[in-house]
């Protein structure tokens, strides 16, 4: 029979949950006494060991070479080679070091990403308890085979996918696979064949944790055939997308390379044919222009800007695992967020109490046992009996650690203890005042729990809690004068608000029973009322969602929880299309085109599987969205890896989710994502400003040499002096952009298009304009110096000082791309700007006046009058650019009108 079921056991999707326990046993030729040794051997030969194999990744040397496979690295290496040809070994070493650092960072990060698959294997149980040939035995989990009978108890990790044969108060924590926020009750009864993963109560899944009770089941899938193995396979097949910044930098590097090559060839021809240079001299001049045109300091600026962004994000509780993800957060247009713990507090709270004598709103935060009950109906009677029953029929305990309140035990029972405390019950004396003598533990078969306690006034007190329909049936009409239909209507009303509903009942008995049984509950219980429990949304998450809407970012909830609960939380959060809930079952038969339309129009997706989450991310990306995906479970890992920015939870997240993600939230808080988005937008602005600042300098220098060659003029600046400018200003002025604060409107703009060029039309115009202005100023100053009798070396020294001054004044202009820089914040700058200006001033004075520098760069000292010329040139440049800004704002205003 095992041979007959070989194909069945190896396939995902066999509807074991819909079959009876006996059918599952028969399918594998197994028995409740377990398999024989021969049957185990045959099953292992057919199905292999119970482990998830991870395909070998690329060898380290291939991953290292792959990091060089981008044009920007080759451009930098060309720059280093050019510096070597000009006998500037130090500059060549610095430029090559940038390449080495970038390659090393990429190599290390890629190696970390491949650890996600290994983390899946870490979730597998190491040991299992089985019954074979009627005897109980502890074995290594890898030895479990289909058909084995596995025994479960609290604290065990399920070693394989099981069809349950018995469940006694069995509750399993499976949020890592399903997203269900609380432990799920299990039983051995079949469920409908179309039930989603989280609703298959007759199944126990590999890698999940037994929270309470005991049970046993027959193994129906092992290793790669399990749900966990299927997710591992799905994760292995997902490739992480290239970040928008890397795409833009590659395009930028490609275009820059073409421009530099064209300019260098033109320079070579001009020097050789027009200026009469020898061919080798002409070639060296062309190399000098190439070095002048390449912004070799730009990658350093970008890398340091990103690195400082990582530090700032860490201060906002977002740990960035991959450097480019810092900027990618700034381009996010859609955030797909899990519900539990991210948008909500991950703390069950009693929100409403409904009794026959009144309706109460419970006010208070989390598990802190302080707060009040506010009556929602006139003349409501305090629910003292209900609160006492909630505290007594309870196995949880509250604790306070480091000023934070938490619960030991079931979160729902913890919420009931908090309710009791908020009604005034002293929990510290409860156990001594009302000792428990017997109980009927919760079981999925009868769905209630009952306890009995000696009454201080004699007799005994019964306390019962459970599913409303079960408790109502036990009360047999003793429902506080309300008809059963009235109570059912209240249950439905609370459910529509996304609340989990429990009923509480009790009775005072004339004597303490010898033994509490289910039969002793009938005919005596009085219904106390209903409680509605909810995992409330974080207050800061509500504000963060509103900030996202202002920033043009859509927030979509993708959760494994129930649709009604998800819709209620979404409405409280203010999500767009909160009432439009689509379940995983609705997604099953949608093609890619239908899914794209549905993904755009829907705000909440509930009861979703790993495949659903992955397809939704891909559908949004296919429509041009830059997607951030949050999650904490194994079921989230494929979508986290595929998203442009995967964001894992630091507190509750599994290792699998953290390894698949690019960002980890220390506090599991949605508001931290929005803070990181704000930081990411600021970083991109600063990178864009640094590009717009660096290119005109290089363009102006190259333009000066090219124009001088074309017109047969003496070079106003030498290649070695160009290298001085590029080296000094890049490490002083250029780095100030890494410290620029965000502009006031950074979160009031829509997300930028994912395919936007790093150099927009506006920035390209600015680069051309400033390059021309730089070149004109250089020629004008050079001509003035020569006309006033300065020697060639002094004139070139003055030109170098002028170019540096122009860069300083241009820095003040480019700090604000659109608004004026002529106000106090613009003029005063930031501490980083002022420090950089002071540093470059000192370095430039050393360049002009120190003898060693004069020897190295062929410079001459300047008079005080000559030193005023660079300052005046800088003021003139700033004036022209401010006029240009004013005209641009005027034109945009007229277009808007």
């Amino acid at each position: 029979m095992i041979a007959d079921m070989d194909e069945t056991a190896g396939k995902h999707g066999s509807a074991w949950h819909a079959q009876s326990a006996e059918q599952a046993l028969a399918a594998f030729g197994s028995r409740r006494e377990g398999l024989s040794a021969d049957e185990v051997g045959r099953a292992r030969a057919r199905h292999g060991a119970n482990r998830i194999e991870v395909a070998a990744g690329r060898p380290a040397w291939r991953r290292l070479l792959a990091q060089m496979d981008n044009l920007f690295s080759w451009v930098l290496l060309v720059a280093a080679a050019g510096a070597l040809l000009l006998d500037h070994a130090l500059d060549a070493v610095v430029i090559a070091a940038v390449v080495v650092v970038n390659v090393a960072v990429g190599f290390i990060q890629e190696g970390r990403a491949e650890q996600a698959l290994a983390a899946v294997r870490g979730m597998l149980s190491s040991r299992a308890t089985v019954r074979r040939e009627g005897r109980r035995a502890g074995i290594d989990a890898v030895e479990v085979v289909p058909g084995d009978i596995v025994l479960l108890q609290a604290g065990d990790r399920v070693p394989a996918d099981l069809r349950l044969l018995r469940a006694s108060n069995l509750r399993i924590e499976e949020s890592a696979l399903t997203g269900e926020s609380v432990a799920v009750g299990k039983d051995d009864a079949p469920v409908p064949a179309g039930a989603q993963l989280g609703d298959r109560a007759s199944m126990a899944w590999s890698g999940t944790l037994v929270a309470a009770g005991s049970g046993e089941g027959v193994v129906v899938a092992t290793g790669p055939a399990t749900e966990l193995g299927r997710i591992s396979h799905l994760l292995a097949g997902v490739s992480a997308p290239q970040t928008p910044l890397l795409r833009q930098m590659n395009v930028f590097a490609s275009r820059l390379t073409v421009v530099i090559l064209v300019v260098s060839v033109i320079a070579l021809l001009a020097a050789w044919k027009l200026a009469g240079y020898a061919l080798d001299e002409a070639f060296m001049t062309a190399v000098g222009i190439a070095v002048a045109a390449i912004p070799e300091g730009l990658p350093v600026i970008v890398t340091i800007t990103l690195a400082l962004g990582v530090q700032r994000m860490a201060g906002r509780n977002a740990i960035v695992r991959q450097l480019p993800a810092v900027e990618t957060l700034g381009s996010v247009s859609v955030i797909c967020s899990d519900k539990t713990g991210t948008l909500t507090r991950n703390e069950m709270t009693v929100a409403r109490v409904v009794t026959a004598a009144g309706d109460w709103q419970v006010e208070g935060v989390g598990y802190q046992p302080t707060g009040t009950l506010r009556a929602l109906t006139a003349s409501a009677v305090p629910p003292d009996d209900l609160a006492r029953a909630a505290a007594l029929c309870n196995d949880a305990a509250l604790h306070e650690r480091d000023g934070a309140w938490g619960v030991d035990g079931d979160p729902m029972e913890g919420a009931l203890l908090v309710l009791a405390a908020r009604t005034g019950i002293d929990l510290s004396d409860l156990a001594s005042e009302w000792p428990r003598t017997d109980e009927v533990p919760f079981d999925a078969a009868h769905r209630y729990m009952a306890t009995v306690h000696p009454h201080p006034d004699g007799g005994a007190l019964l306390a019962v809690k459970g599913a409303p329909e079960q408790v109502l049936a036990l009360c047999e009409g003793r429902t506080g004068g309300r008809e059963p239909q009235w109570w059912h209507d209240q249950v439905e009303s609370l459910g529509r608000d996304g609340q989990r509903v429990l009923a509480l009942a009790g009775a005072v008995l004339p004597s303490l029973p010898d033994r509490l049984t289910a039969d002793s509950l009938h005919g005596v219980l009085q219904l106390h009322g209903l409680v509605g429990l909810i995992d409330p949304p974080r207050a800061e998450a509500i504000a963060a969602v509103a900030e996202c809407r202002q920033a043009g970012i859509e927030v979509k909830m993708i959760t494994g929880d129930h649709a009604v609960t998800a819709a209620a939380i979404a409405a409280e959060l203010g999500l767009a299309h909160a009432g439009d809930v689509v379940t995983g079952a609705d997604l099953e038969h949608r093609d890619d085109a239908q899914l794209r339309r549905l993904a755009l129009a829907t705000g909440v997706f509930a009861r979703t599987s790993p495949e659903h989450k992955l397809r939704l991310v891909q559908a949004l990306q296919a429509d041009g969205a830059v997607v951030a995906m949050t999650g904490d479970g194994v079921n989230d890992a494929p979508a986290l890896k595929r998203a442009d920015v995967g964001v894992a939870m630091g507190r509750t997240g599994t290792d699998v989710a953290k390894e698949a993600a690019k960002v980890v939230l220390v506090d599991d808080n949605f508001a931290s994502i929005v803070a990181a988005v704000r930081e990411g937008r600021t970083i991109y602005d600063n990178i864009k400003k640094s590009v717009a600042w660096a290119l005109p300098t290089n363009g102006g220098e190259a333009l000066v040499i090219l124009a001088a060659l074309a017109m047969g003029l003496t070079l106003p600046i030498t290649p070695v002096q160009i290298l001085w400018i590029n080296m000094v200003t890049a490490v002083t002025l250029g780095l100030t952009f890494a410290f620029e604060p965000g502009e006031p409107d950074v979160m009031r703009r829509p997300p930028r298009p994912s395919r936007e060029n790093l150099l927009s039309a506006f920035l390209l115009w600015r680069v051309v304009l400033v390059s021309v202005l730089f070149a004109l100023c250089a020629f004008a100053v050079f001509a003035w110096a020569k006309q006033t009798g300065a020697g060639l070396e002094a004139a070139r020294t003055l030109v170098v000082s002028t170019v540096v001054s122009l860069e300083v004044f241009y820095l003040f202009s480019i700090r604000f791309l659109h608004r004026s820089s002529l106000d106090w914040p613009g003029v005063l700058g930031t501490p980083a700007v002022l420090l950089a200006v002071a540093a470059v001033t000192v370095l430039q004075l050393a360049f002009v006046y120190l003898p060693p520098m004069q020897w190295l760069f062929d410079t001459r000292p300047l008079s005080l009058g000559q030193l005023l010329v660079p300052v005046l040139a800088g003021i003139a440049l700033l004036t022209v650019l401010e006029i240009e800004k004013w005209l641009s704002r005027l034109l945009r205003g007229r277009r808007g009108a």
Side-chain angles (χ1 to χ4, degrees), residues 200-241:
R200 298 178 188 176
S202 58
M203 299 291 296
W205 307 111
S206 176
T208 58
L209 189 66
V210 179
S214 63
E216 63 183 58
V218 58
V219 176
V220 295
T222 58
T226 63
E227 285 293 322
L228 194 63
R230 184 175 61 83
I231 294 174
S232 174
H233 178 73
L234 191 65
L235 182 61
V238 174
S239 59

Side-chain angles (χ1 to χ4, degrees), residues 222-274:
T222 58
T226 63
E227 285 293 322
L228 194 63
R230 184 175 61 83
I231 294 174
S232 174
H233 178 73
L234 191 65
L235 182 61
V238 174
S239 59
Q242 192 179 41
T243 67
L245 179 63
L246 290 180
R247 286 198 300 266
Q248 292 161 2
M249 291 297 280
N250 285 338
V251 171
F252 170 69
S254 301
R255 294 177 178 174
L256 182 63
T257 301
V258 172
V259 171
I260 290 172
L261 288 175
V262 170
V263 170
S264 298
V265 170
I266 293 173
L268 173 63
L269 294 174
W272 184 26
K273 297 296 185 182
L274 297 180

Side-chain angles (χ1 to χ4, degrees), residues 4 9 54 195 357 379 400 520 633 689:
D4 297 336
V54 178
S379 65
E400 182 183 13
S520 62
K689 291 173 186 177

Side-chain angles (χ1 to χ4, degrees), residues 656-676:
V656 184
K658 293 174 187 176
E659 292 294 345
K662 295 175 182 173
V663 177
V664 177
L665 294 186
V666 175
D667 58 354
D668 291 10
N669 194 337
F670 183 83
S672 296
I673 303 175
V674 180

Side-chain angles (χ1 to χ4, degrees), residues 112-317:
R112 288 180 177 176
E114 291 186 355
Q115 295 173 12
L117 294 176
V120 175
R121 289 189 297 178
M123 287 196 63
L124 293 176
S125 173
S126 59
R127 298 286 293 173
T129 303
V130 299
R131 186 187 298 121
R132 289 178 176 171
E133 297 180 324
R135 293 189 295 272
R136 183 187 181 105
I139 62 173
D140 288 337
V142 294
E143 298 178 6
V144 170
V145 298
D148 257 331
I149 305 301
V150 173
L151 310 180
L152 300 174
Q153 60 184 12
D156 288 348
R157 193 172 290 278
V158 181
D161 285 359
L162 311 179
R163 171 55 172 91
L164 293 172
L165 307 176
R166 178 183 62 82
S168 177
N169 193 28
L170 182 63
R171 299 181 68 80
I172 297 182
E173 168 57 57
E174 53 189 32
S175 61
L177 280 179
T178 66
E180 181 71 52
S181 53
V182 295
V184 179
K186 298 289 184 177
D187 60 51
D188 59 1
V191 298
Q196 295 296 304
L197 192 71
D199 297 322
R200 298 178 188 176
S202 58
M203 299 291 296
W205 307 111
S206 176
T208 58
L209 189 66
V210 179
S214 63
E216 63 183 58
V218 58
V219 176
V220 295
T222 58
T226 63
E227 285 293 322
L228 194 63
R230 184 175 61 83
I231 294 174
S232 174
H233 178 73
L234 191 65
L235 182 61
V238 174
S239 59
Q242 192 179 41
T243 67
L245 179 63
L246 290 180
R247 286 198 300 266
Q248 292 161 2
M249 291 297 280
N250 285 338
V251 171
F252 170 69
S254 301
R255 294 177 178 174
L256 182 63
T257 301
V258 172
V259 171
I260 290 172
L261 288 175
V262 170
V263 170
S264 298
V265 170
I266 293 173
L268 173 63
L269 294 174
W272 184 26
K273 297 296 185 182
L274 297 180
Y277 284 34
L279 182 59
D280 59 338
E281 293 179 347
F283 176 76
M284 291 304 297
T285 302
V287 171
I289 287 182
V291 173
I294 292 174
E296 60 268 27
L298 188 58
V300 179
I301 295 171
V302 171
T303 301
I304 293 177
T305 301
L306 294 174
L308 290 174
V310 167
Q311 292 183 354
R312 287 196 293 266
M313 283 189 182
R316 295 174 178 267
N317 296 311

